[in-house]
């Protein structure tokens, strides 16, 4: 399996340079797949290969017609920006192919340093953790440690059905429910705590539910606070959640997959973060690096070892390896893309980009508030804005915007109504891009939807 490496590298460098240049500006439509590529995707497994340059061109064509979250007018869901230095990190990582299952030398040290940097960036006293494939695995990792602390030996013996409970807000991400199901606790015992008018966890309702379960002989394994919900960007009152947990001896986990990086510029919104037993962040969301780059941090590293540590005949037991504190075995050096991004740009550049996105959400909120026919929901806490046009089917409007292709936005269902839900997480996005979203939406409403 030989390759003309120099020729392939030079060609892919050209393709990447073209891609990066295009990401600096928005394009006027989402291109459709070419007939050649459509035909290629129906072919069976090839017995012999084609020229690498041809294969690279085919891959570039596929990616160019794939919905790209890196473009400045992508406002759907919560995407990353594919930060260039992060893409280069992935090339280096793939070339060296280090495996962080066991001690990988300096690669292991790089991960440990980057974990410290993330803790310093958001203001969390980290003493252990790992990089993961994303928020779901990060949350499962943290809650596995929480279950083992609440039920020592549960990893070996299991727990009796109905003996454990966990708590999160009604707006928490579905990955929390998935984690509770995977851990064998059962989603029937995940208490969805009501939210207040600002969509944050109702602390009195939390305390009442916890105390009721304790009185009934159940053991709470964790309270999961959300630091930036995917629905509205709301931040649960972390200091109050911490008070409930500390007075009752319950593990506190903060799911900050989306919103927690904003603690670097608005720490006042995250009071109580340092009290959490564990936190999760997706650096491939609002820290701009390419997927996959999730992070789980803990204050007590022995909690992870208690949940995952083991001995086998083929892993050296002279030291604590990554497999003893993580869910995964074979694991790439995901930390390098964030390490390189901090090294190349510095933390201040991250803060400036985060602040720009926060400002763009405020700009979007003001635009929608002032334009005839539009209404907004909550004042944005972070970088998510909910808006809708009166008198039209807003689900159809979202589909029309996506079909138009000049901008991309997703929807949210809140209080029985559908809203457009632009989210700003890209350092390439400008105020002109925000204005373009409003203009395209207005054009479609008045030109094709006939309110």
């Amino acid at each position: 399996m030989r390759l003309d490496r120099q020729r392939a590298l030079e060609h892919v460098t050209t393709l990447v340079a073209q891609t990066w240049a295009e990401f600096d500006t928005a394009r006027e439509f989402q291109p459709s797949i070419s007939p050649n590529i459509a035909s290629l995707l129906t072919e069976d497994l090839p017995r012999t290969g084609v020229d690498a340059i041809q294969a690279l061109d085919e891959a570039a064509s596929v990616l160019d017609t794939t919905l790209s979250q890196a473009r400045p007018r992508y406002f759907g869901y919560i995407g990353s920006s594919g930060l260039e230095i992060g893409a280069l990190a992935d090339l280096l990582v793939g070339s060296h192919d280090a495996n962080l299952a066991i001690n990988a030398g300096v690669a292991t040290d790089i991960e440990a340093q980057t974990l410290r940097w993330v803790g310093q960036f958001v203001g969390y006293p980290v003493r252990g953790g790992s990089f993961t494939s994303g928020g779901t695995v990060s949350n499962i990792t943290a809650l596995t440690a929480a279950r083992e602390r609440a039920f020592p030996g549960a990893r070996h013996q299991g727990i009796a059905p109905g003996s454990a409970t966990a708590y999160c807000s009604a707006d928490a991400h579905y990955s929390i429910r998935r984690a509770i199901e995977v851990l064998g606790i059962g989603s029937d015992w995940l208490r969805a705590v009501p939210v207040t008018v600002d969509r944050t966890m109702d602390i009195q309702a939390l305390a009442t539910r916890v105390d009721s379960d304790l009185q009934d002989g159940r053991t709470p394994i964790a309270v999961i606070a959300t630091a930036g919900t995917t629905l509205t960007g709301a931040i649960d009152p972390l200091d109050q959640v911490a008070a409930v947990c500390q007075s009752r001896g319950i593990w506190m986990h903060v799911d900050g997959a989306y919103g927690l990086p904003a603690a670097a510029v608005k720490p006042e919104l995250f009071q109580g973060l340092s009290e959490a037993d564990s936190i999760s962040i997706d650096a491939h969301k609002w820290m701009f690096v390419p997927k996959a780059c999730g992070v789980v941090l803990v204050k007590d590293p022995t909690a992870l070892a208690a949940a995952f540590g083991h001995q086998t005949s083929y892993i050296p037991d002279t030291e604590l390896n990554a497999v003893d504190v993580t869910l995964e075995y074979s694991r790439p050096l995901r930390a390098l893309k964030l390490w390189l991004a901090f090294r190349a740009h510095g933390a201040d550049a991250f803060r400036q980009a985060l602040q720009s996105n926060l400002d763009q959400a405020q700009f979007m909120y003001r635009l929608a508030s002032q334009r005839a026919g539009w209404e907004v929901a909550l004042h944005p806490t972070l970088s998510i804005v909910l808006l809708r046009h009166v008198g039209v089917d807003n689900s159809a409007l979202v589909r029309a915007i996506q079909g138009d292709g000049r901008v991309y936005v997703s929807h949210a269902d809140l209080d029985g109504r559908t809203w457009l839900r632009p989210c700003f997480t890209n350092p390439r996005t400008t105020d002109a891009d925000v204005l373009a979203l409003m203009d395209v939406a207005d054009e479609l409403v008045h030109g094709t939807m006939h309110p």
Side-chain angles (χ1 to χ4, degrees):
M1 298 179 69
R2 298 190 62 82
L3 179 73
D4 185 341
R5 291 182 294 193
Q6 186 62 34
R7 182 166 165 257
L9 182 61
E10 290 174 356
H11 190 67
V12 81
T13 299
T14 300
L15 294 174
V16 170
Q18 292 172 348
T19 298
W20 287 355
E22 291 177 2
F23 283 174
D24 289 335
T25 57
R27 57 187 179 188
E28 287 303 309
F29 62 93
Q30 173 69 24
S32 58
I33 190 168
S34 70
N36 287 341
I37 296 299
S39 175
L40 171 64
L41 297 179
T42 66
E43 293 182 7
D44 291 333
L45 174 70
R47 291 189 60 190
T48 59
V50 299
D51 181 73
I53 303 304
Q54 176 185 337
L56 286 168
D57 285 338
E58 291 167 346
S61 179
V62 167
L63 291 170
D64 189 51
T65 53
T66 298
L67 190 62
S68 173
Q69 297 185 351
R71 296 190 180 275
R73 292 185 181 177
Y74 180 92
F75 305 112
Y77 310 106
I78 302 171
S80 64
S81 64
L83 192 65
E84 294 91 340
I85 196 70
L88 294 176
D90 278 340
L91 175 60
L92 287 171
V93 166
S95 298
H96 288 271
D97 200 24
N99 183 6
L100 269 71
I102 59 174
N103 190 306
V106 180
T108 297
D109 298 333
I110 283 287
E111 181 175 56
Q113 182 180 40
T114 313
L115 289 171
R116 294 197 304 271
W117 286 358
V118 173
Q120 291 167 4
F121 188 69
V122 301
Y124 181 73
V126 56
R127 293 190 60 211
S130 67
F131 278 76
T132 73
S133 62
T136 296
V137 173
S138 293
N139 290 334
I140 290 173
T141 301
L143 293 176
T144 302
R147 184 195 62 180
E148 191 64 22
R149 176 172 291 181
F151 291 88
R155 56 180 293 193
H156 303 296
Q157 303 163 8
I159 58 175
S163 60
T165 54
Y167 310 81
C168 64
S169 95
D171 287 351
H173 192 267
Y174 187 80
S175 63
I176 301 302
R177 178 174 295 273
R178 180 170 291 175
I180 294 301
E181 291 173 346
V182 168
L183 290 173
I185 295 162
S187 53
D188 286 350
W189 302 104
L190 176 63
R191 309 307 198 191
V193 180
V195 295
T196 63
V197 292
D198 62 358
R199 310 302 299 191
T200 63
M201 187 188 295
D202 185 324
I203 296 301
Q204 185 56 55
L206 169 66
T208 298
R209 293 195 174 194
V210 169
D211 290 341
S212 176
D213 282 326
L214 287 170
Q215 291 171 7
D216 289 341
R218 300 187 179 94
T219 301
I221 69 156
V223 176
I224 302 97
T226 303
T229 64
T230 54
L231 180 64
T232 66
I235 303 169
D236 290 333
L238 304 183
D239 52 351
Q240 297 179 53
V241 173
V244 170
C245 291
Q246 290 172 355
S247 63
R248 296 160 177 82
I250 303 172
W251 184 288
M252 176 183 173
H253 175 63
V254 175
D255 178 6
Y258 151 54
L260 198 47
V265 291
K266 289 198 170 290
E268 68 276 9
L269 298 178
F270 301 86
Q271 295 295 321
L273 175 67
S274 62
E275 303 302 316
D277 294 282
S278 57
I279 67 173
S280 60
I281 301 173
D282 277 352
H284 60 240
K285 288 188 169 74
W286 211 6
M287 295 187 79
F288 314 119
V289 298
K291 291 176 280 295
C293 194
V295 192
V296 58
L297 306 177
V298 296
K299 285 198 297 189
D300 178 9
T302 66
L304 292 176
F308 297 104
H310 64 292
Q311 292 184 343
T312 66
S313 60
Y314 51 84
I315 291 180
D317 58 3
T318 56
E319 58 187 315
L320 198 66
N321 291 290
V323 293
D324 294 311
V325 294
T326 60
L327 178 63
E328 301 172 272
Y329 265 65
S330 297
R331 194 164 55 92
L333 180 55
R334 297 188 181 104
L336 186 66
K337 63 187 79 179
L338 188 56
W339 186 90
L340 262 179
F342 276 135
R343 287 287 295 156
H345 297 290
D348 286 349
F350 276 80
R351 294 187 182 98
Q352 291 166 9
L354 288 161
Q355 186 60 58
S356 292
N357 290 151
L358 292 167
D359 293 342
Q360 288 154 5
Q362 298 297 325
F363 180 43
M364 176 95 267
Y365 181 84
R366 292 194 301 273
L367 280 176
S369 300
Q370 296 164 5
R371 285 208 181 185
W374 289 91
E375 62 178 344
V376 290
L378 305 168
H379 191 279
T381 302
L382 295 176
S383 65
I384 292 174
V385 185
L386 269 61
L387 63 150
R388 67 191 310 274
H389 199 285
V390 178
V392 303
D393 181 342
N394 282 271
S395 295
L397 176 56
V398 170
R399 293 193 296 272
I401 292 171
Q402 293 175 351
D404 178 84
R406 286 174 288 174
V407 298
Y408 190 93
V409 69
S410 54
H411 80 284
D413 292 325
L414 181 68
D415 297 333
R417 298 195 293 177
T418 298
W419 302 76
L420 281 66
R421 181 193 156 279
C423 182
F424 304 93
T425 56
N426 193 328
R428 301 184 186 99
T429 300
T430 66
D431 284 357
D433 298 317
V434 179
L435 186 60
L437 172 56
M438 288 300 304
D439 289 344
V440 168
D442 263 333
E443 177 187 325
L444 292 172
V445 166
H446 297 296
T448 63
M449 300 195 67
H450 309 296

